[in-house]
Amino acid sequence: MSRSRSDEVFAAAQTLMPGGVNSPARAFGAVGGNPVVIDRGEGAYLIDVDGNRYIDYVLSWGPMILGHCHEKVSAAVHAAVDRGTSYGAPTEAENRLAELIVSAMESVEKVRLVNSGTEATMSAIRLARGYTGRDVVVKFAGNYHGHVDSLLVAAGSSAATLGVPDSPGVTSGCSQDTMVLAYNDSQGLVDAFSEQGERIAAVIFEPVVGNMGCVIPSDEFLAALRQQTEAQGALLIVDEVMTGFRVAYGGAQERLGIRGDLTTLGKVVGGGLPFAAYGGRADIMDHMLPVGSVFQAGTLSGNPIATAAGAATLEILRDEDPYPRLEELSSRLERGLSAAATDAGVDHSITRVGSMMTLFFNPDPVTCWDQASRCDKEHFARYFRGQLERGVYLPCSQYEALFLSAAHTEADVDATIASAAAALE
Ligand code: HOZ
């Protein structure tokens, strides 16, 4: 497969942007070689600037649950563009999307629309601190909540992939009120609350982790999160940027039967446009300015094009309910990948929740960062490159989940399994 044009474009990009990318997750730092430069998306596929076609399991790192260029989403975006691209004033379109979010997610009574997952988590943390009058925030090693200074500590995703889980530039002042615990360690959480409970404003967590690969919380851990925060007057922030409208229409909270005080959303909720949101109990959300006094603002917040894409996407998900089919398709891929790895004699474990999944090059089930960090990353890199050469576009890190879309077919999945078998040999 030739990618000469891709290499040319990327060489130019490196002279213009640090590392040639606008987000380090896209650099192939952990797998070697140059990133593929994309020309366009079509349903479940990406086509690069050399004309090569790939089955896409990155899906823009999650948002494109309907596949690329869904007819109705594209039509909604075109119609919105024709009415103006930004007004910086209230619109009916904001109500429409806010209403969809509030009806989908039981724990969200009021919502604020913003532009990125980072902005959503940053604002939710500020609100939690403003509401409780406390400073400390608990997060879990290997969870990633965007590049918020105070949360860029023991962070997953590209921060872990590229070796900066604690980034330079984050001052000790910013991170001194962040307490890092191990995911799925219920006792650790109980101990932290018994020692520092009165100082803890919030616990933020990924209800299904996607940013150290796909990792599932135990029932015991979920129960401890709710009990400890409730008993000690701290807020539970469920970071559903990756899982919201992805693992179920009502997100991980619906799927796992949990309820947070605040929820952060991004990715699917914006239908592929820069859009995110945070919301939760009305009495907490009303602490935001202009009702309350916690500050957060944004020129492009609730942008009409982004809200059009988001609302169209959610309406399709609500009306067409692709989740049962996504479950079947994803389970077929899980079984096929696992069988291919077993047949090739590769030590592995595989974790899946709905249409997000990770094949870990680790014989043990991965339940926390300690275990995730022990994966054979060299082997992952060889597998990644083998799949890419065969036209399968996977996340370029062992510490990211792959995603399926409603546009994927059984034939795509079977082709992926066949190419995995060849790549794993
Ligand atoms: N949140 C994304 C992956 N976990 C990162 C996407 C990006 O940085 O481009």
Side-chain angles (χ1 to χ4, degrees):
M1 186 180 278
S2 161
R3 277 194 289 271
S4 54
R5 177 76 188 130
S6 211
D7 290 344
E8 255 172 58
V9 175
F10 186 62
Q14 284 173 295
T15 69
L16 298 166
M17 294 167 279
V21 290
N22 285 309
S23 185
R26 301 167 198 183
F28 279 16
V31 291
N34 287 339
V36 180
V37 177
I38 303 303
D39 178 58
R40 62 189 190 279
E42 285 173 6
Y45 311 110
L46 287 178
I47 292 98
D48 71 16
V49 289
D50 291 279
N52 302 307
R53 195 175 88 143
Y54 306 85
I55 307 174
D56 183 13
Y57 292 98
V58 177
L59 297 171
S60 187
W61 304 93
M64 312 312 299
I65 194 168
L66 298 172
H68 299 281
C69 304
H70 188 286
E71 212 185 8
K72 288 184 188 162
V73 180
S74 295
V77 169
H78 284 122
V81 168
D82 288 343
R83 302 165 68 90
T85 54
S86 183
Y87 322 116
T91 62
E92 269 188 71
E94 290 170 305
N95 288 15
R96 179 174 161 217
L97 183 47
E99 164 69 29
L100 281 160
I101 295 170
V102 167
S103 339
M105 310 207 74
E106 231 180 274
S107 69
V108 177
E109 295 166 351
K110 277 194 177 173
V111 65
R112 175 64 60 92
L113 313 183
V114 293
N115 301 290
S116 75
T118 294
E119 210 185 320
T121 56
M122 177 186 75
S123 309
I125 292 290
R126 185 181 302 146
L127 172 57
R129 287 177 163 149
Y131 175 81
T132 58
R134 301 173 180 179
D135 293 338
V136 174
V137 170
V138 173
K139 79 170 288 278
F140 297 96
N143 281 205
Y144 177 75
H145 306 288
H147 59 96
V148 181
D149 275 347
S150 64
L151 300 175
L152 210 45
V153 183
S157 190
S158 47
T161 306
L162 301 173
V164 287
D166 308 290
S167 171
V170 174
T171 63
S172 50
C174 275
S175 55
Q176 76 185 6
D177 289 322
T178 305
M179 191 188 293
V180 182
L181 303 178
Y183 198 78
N184 270 322
D185 178 6
S186 313
Q187 191 55 50
L189 185 73
V190 171
D191 293 346
F193 268 97
S194 76
E195 282 158 28
Q196 306 240 29
E198 284 174 8
R199 295 185 59 224
I200 298 175
V203 177
I204 186 166
F205 77 114
E206 293 187 66
V208 173
V209 189
N211 287 295
M212 52 176 158
C214 185
V215 172
I216 301 174
S218 70
D219 291 344
E220 187 201 347
F221 182 60
L222 291 174
L225 283 163
R226 192 58 283 183
Q227 277 158 10
Q228 291 300 310
T229 46
E230 218 159 69
Q232 308 262 2
L235 300 186
L236 185 60
I237 304 174
V238 190
D239 184 350
E240 295 235 39
V241 167
M242 213 177 256
T243 54
F245 301 99
R246 162 62 65 185
V247 297
Y249 186 64
Q253 290 174 83
E254 175 190 310
R255 189 167 177 130
L256 303 173
I258 55 171
R259 191 183 177 102
D261 300 304
L262 291 176
T263 296
T264 54
L265 293 165
K267 299 194 189 275
V268 172
V269 75
L273 272 286
F275 179 86
Y278 65 100
R281 276 170 35 201
D283 65 308
I284 303 174
M285 290 303 292
D286 280 342
H287 278 63
M288 296 308 298
L289 211 67
V291 189
S293 50
V294 178
F295 189 84
Q296 174 263 316
T299 300
L300 293 174
S301 291
N303 174 269
I305 306 172
T307 48
T313 299
L314 298 199
E315 280 168 358
I316 295 162
L317 292 172
R318 180 195 62 193
D319 299 343
E320 296 182 7
D321 188 18
Y323 298 98
R325 182 172 169 274
L326 275 170
E327 189 72 41
E328 256 173 52
L329 212 55
S330 308
S331 155
R332 184 184 186 106
L333 181 62
E334 178 188 10
R335 282 181 273 120
L337 290 181
S338 190
T342 303
D343 291 349
V346 173
D347 283 342
H348 71 282
S349 61
I350 192 158
T351 310
R352 178 181 72 82
V353 178
S355 55
M356 55 191 279
M357 169 186 342
T358 299
L359 172 64
F360 288 108
F361 288 80
N362 186 332
D364 304 315
V366 173
T367 59
C368 63
W369 172 245
D370 226 33
Q371 285 158 341
S373 64
R374 287 200 291 267
C375 291
D376 183 344
K377 291 178 281 294
E378 268 311 305
H379 203 157
F380 170 82
R382 289 199 299 280
Y383 167 67
F384 169 87
R385 290 194 299 267
Q387 285 281 46
L388 189 69
E389 287 317 306
R390 292 171 176 85
V392 176
Y393 189 76
L394 296 171
C396 54
S397 165
Q398 175 74 98
Y399 302 136
E400 300 282 359
L402 69 77
F403 301 99
L404 285 93
S405 79
H408 284 78
T409 62
E410 278 75 11
D412 293 326
V413 165
D414 292 346
T416 305
I417 296 166
S419 89
L424 287 164
E425 275 200 351

